Amino acid sequence: MGAARLAVFTVLIVFFQTTASVSAEESCVPGFQTEKLTFTHTRKTLSRNHRLGKVNFSDCTDRTRFLLVSSDRRVRVETDGTLMVKRPVNIHHGQWEFSISPVNSKLRNAKLPVTVLYGGKHHWNGRQHGEHHHGDHGLESNRNHLAGGESAPKTEDAVPVIYFPKSTKGLRRRKRGWVVPPISFSENHRGPYPFKLITIRSDEDTLKKIIYSLTGPGASEDPKNLFTVDKNTGDLVVTERLDREKQAIYKFQGHANLSSTVRAEEPMDIIINVIDQNDNNPVFTQDTYLGDVAEASPKNFEVLKIAATDADEENTDNTELRYRILSQNPELPNQSMFRINSVTGGILINAEGLDREKYPQYTLEVQVADLSGNGLTGNAKVILTITDSNDNAPVFSDSSYEASVEENKAGIQIAKLFVTDGDEPHSPAWNAKFTIVNGNRDGLFSVKTGPNKQEGFLSTAKGLDFEKTSTHTLLITAENEVPFAIQLPTATATVVVTVKDVNEAPIFDPAEKLISKREDVEVDSDLVQYIASDPDLARKQKVMYRILRDPAGWLAVNKDTGVIKVKSPMDRESTLVKDDKYTALIGAYDNDDIPATGTGTLVIKLEDVNDNAPTIEERSFTVCNKEPAPQLLAVTDRDGQGFAAPYSVTLQGMSKANWTAKMNGTKTAIILNLVADLPPADYTVIMMVSDNQGLEQASTIEASVCDCTGEEVHCKGRVAGSTDLPIILGILGAILLLLMLVLLLLLFARRRRGEKQEPLLQDNDTRDNIYYYDEEGGGEDDQDYDLSVLHRGLDNRPEVFRNDVVPSFMPAPQYQPRPANPEEIGNFIDHNLKAADNDPTAPPYDSLLVFDYEGGGSDAGSLSSLNSSSSGDQDYDCLNEWGPRFRKLADMYGGGEDDEML
């Protein structure tokens, strides 16, 4: 019975809750969710982009963003209802009022009054915003209070109570009043901790035992237990100070359960926004900034920019940075040489007077502060190096210079010009460059900067002419590689160059003279007068001539007049003539103590004459005696085209009987035919060939006739046609007989060498008391020597070898082949004779000849023991008995023929 009552009671409760939810759903009224809003701020001056708070607006749909407008133009309303300050505002009399209204809506006449209070010591009372639906805007007021850093009252009424939203069956929309707005809490809040933020409640706690809990980051997940809830009362607290720079928003869920597994309410999303406090000093991006600035930079020139960062929330006063210069070292020539843009951090030149030579470097102490320059600060150093500007012009060491140079000398350095400069050494503002601005109209001179950049080298660009101008005056300026930073005078120097007269070579006019002459011009005839003039007019010198180069030796020149004559016949067909032109070099010299020689080129164009008869190029050929093929013989003429083809040919002598000759169609080659059946042999064919002017010459051709047929020539077993067969056979028999005799001699010598093995004569082998050591000419008739002993001795001594062989490591000379033209046979013989004389491969060879062992000892003493008797009465007549070879010796020592002559 009790159980049945409890079930009925539960059903009634659920029914009434559902009815209440449906009634609330159906009673949705579009418009602002409260009739009035009040925000409290602890600052009297609100900066640009300062957040005032947030308004809630609904049109009973799912839309979350609306176009809202403020009656005060200093306030901007975001589409999500956030109120932002557009420009700085001072809250006069501690209160600022305006209204918010919708745009483009049926409710555009609806207005929400908003009041902003300045209350540095204002104590917030949770009841004063009781008119806010479900306490939404009470949270907003609480957020503004906590943002000021004040401690909240410790009464139960000091925090808002948030009820779990009710869920409906089906697809019904949840009422917007049940959406929990974010809860704002200031970082670094002084506490005490744990600090109570809100209370979450369920409507079921009046009937059932509700257990409250939290899940998510900051509660059950890292950072764990930063937010906790009393499981019985639903009081949500923060357990320690928050740091916005670590995490700005926390999102977790609140739960209301009947037990660990049974839900009493759907989870509720809770968002904690951490409000920024100015707890971070601004920091420069560098501890020390380095910069360069030219000393001639103008005022307000930006040298560099410095920058700093702040970890606090962007677009708030906490990150509104301002820069300033604290100190300048040195404070010369002005203690405010630089200034800084307080907003951008750009450092600019504030005054003129930068001078690298006096103050090469400045050190600035700079500071940055947040809260528009009134908050926390950070410091850094700026080191500015003053770089050189071209504010000093180069100055010549001397204003004038003198130099001298010999005429006709190009590329000769004649003077050095030195400058000084007060700018930084080896900088573009110090490096000098020189320019000739006057006196160099013909480009005779050039000037360039030396290696040390402070000197100029003046040189001649062309050869000077003493006879034309003996003195040159040059005006030279010195500037820097970069333009002057300020207006400065340009340094100038004057250089006077004196030209020295030298003995110049005579000059031919023209330098190359072309004449045209017949190649058969007579010897000793005049060709041309080729004269030169002496440019040294003041010296009154005589010009003389000579031949410097005449490859063919055809010319001679008159020493005094320069008339060139023919010394030997000229030949257009010579190999020294190129394109019908013969070139000679003529020299002209004066009679100075050190003569100067000039040269001129004489080019003689040789006109052709018919002085060369045509010749046949082929000197020999081979032909069959049966059905012979015609032989085509080319004809050439060293003369030009006017004295060459067409050619004509006639056979001479016995050649007419066996051969026929005629010219081909172009009259440039001979067609020679064998018309007789000649026996195989070598024959001579004589032909007379003439050119188109009738100049003729006999040409001899060697024809080898073979016993064959047609064009393919095969000469097998061909013998001379004029030799009888018996004679040939006799010659062959004699050759065979000689070969047999040579073979017999070789066999006999080999046999004799095999029988005797004694290497040489024995030591005690004496004959007629005379030792014979070798066989060098046959010996006496009674001496029977075996020459093979010498070879055996050589065989018994393998360490000794003969090298009388053709040297293989030396190249043989090149011999010229027999020329086709008989006229060149003389040159052929001379060339090959010289080649044979210098041929290292021709005998006799320059090699080691070994004659082998010549005896092992002698009974006679050394020849050095022989000396003349001191008595002078030695008898040498006995030497006459030893034969004719010793008779001369007897005469020399014993007198005789010599004495008789005396």
Side-chain angles (χ1 to χ4, degrees), residues 664-715:
N664 66 348
T666 60
K667 305 295 184 180
T668 57
I670 300 173
I671 300 175
L672 182 65
N673 285 291
L674 176 62
V675 296
D677 187 3
L678 298 178
D682 292 335
Y683 299 91
T684 300
V685 181
I686 303 174
M687 290 178 285
M688 186 70 69
V689 184
S690 60
D691 57 22
N692 59 6
Q693 299 293 322
L695 183 62
E696 60 184 10
Q697 176 178 277
S699 296
T700 302
I701 308 298
E702 296 294 331
S704 297
V705 179
C706 298
D707 189 8
C708 57
T709 302
E711 296 182 359
E712 296 185 4
V713 181
H714 300 283
C715 295

Side-chain angles (χ1 to χ4, degrees), residues 419-584:
V419 297
T420 59
D421 197 307
D423 293 314
E424 182 179 1
H426 306 292
S427 68
W430 182 82
N431 298 339
K433 64 177 183 180
F434 301 86
T435 307
I436 303 175
V437 296
N438 194 13
N440 192 30
R441 183 179 59 183
D442 297 330
L444 301 176
F445 300 91
S446 66
V447 61
K448 64 179 182 178
T449 305
N452 67 355
K453 304 297 184 180
Q454 289 281 280
E455 61 184 3
F457 296 153
L458 180 64
S459 305
T460 56
K462 302 177 183 178
L464 306 182
D465 190 349
F466 172 83
E467 286 72 25
K468 186 176 181 180
T469 304
S470 60
T471 302
H472 298 267
T473 302
L474 307 177
L475 183 63
I476 300 177
T477 61
E479 296 176 317
N480 296 119
E481 293 180 354
V482 295
F484 295 142
I486 58 177
Q487 182 135 15
L488 297 172
T490 301
T492 61
T494 302
V495 181
V496 178
V497 181
T498 302
V499 183
K500 296 181 180 179
D501 186 24
V502 297
N503 183 27
E504 299 178 79
I507 301 175
F508 281 93
D509 185 22
E512 180 178 299
K513 192 175 186 68
L514 174 65
I515 62 174
S516 180
K517 296 291 181 181
R518 287 171 55 92
E519 64 174 323
D520 61 347
V521 64
E522 295 181 359
V523 175
D524 286 336
S525 61
D526 294 343
L527 290 178
V528 68
Q529 184 180 26
Y530 194 16
I531 60 175
S533 59
D534 192 343
D536 297 317
L537 301 177
R539 293 175 177 254
K540 305 298 183 181
Q541 298 176 137
K542 181 181 178 181
V543 178
M544 295 168 286
Y545 304 91
R546 61 182 175 181
I547 300 293
L548 296 181
R549 186 175 69 246
D550 180 15
W554 293 341
L555 307 177
V557 62
N558 187 292
K559 176 181 178 181
D560 298 321
T561 63
V563 175
I564 299 174
K565 295 186 176 183
V566 178
K567 184 174 68 173
S568 60
M570 296 185 292
D571 185 4
R572 188 193 70 88
E573 290 73 35
S574 171
T575 57
L576 300 175
V577 177
K578 306 297 181 184
D579 298 329
D580 298 341
K581 294 179 181 179
Y582 178 74
T583 303

Side-chain angles (χ1 to χ4, degrees), residues 32 37-39 41 46-47 49-56 68-72 74-86 96 98-101 112-116 137 140 143-144:
F32 293 100
L37 274 179
T38 302
F39 302 109
H41 290 268
L46 303 180
S47 62
N49 291 328
H50 183 80
R51 187 175 183 273
L52 294 176
K54 188 175 182 181
V55 299
N56 290 328
L68 304 175
V69 64
S70 171
S71 61
D72 194 323
R74 293 175 292 178
V75 177
R76 180 179 71 253
V77 185
E78 305 290 344
T79 57
D80 62 351
T82 303
L83 305 182
M84 304 293 293
V85 177
K86 292 173 64 175
W96 176 28
F98 54 90
S99 63
I100 305 297
S101 57
L112 175 65
V114 179
T115 302
V116 179
H137 298 286
E140 187 68 37
R143 182 191 68 79
N144 285 280

Side-chain angles (χ1 to χ4, degrees), residues 27 54 111 136 163 180 336 481 564 578 621 709 827:
S27 61
K54 188 175 182 181
K111 293 185 179 180
D136 292 353
Y163 286 90
V180 180
S336 299
E481 293 180 354
I564 299 174
K578 306 297 181 184
F621 64 90
T709 302
N827 294 332

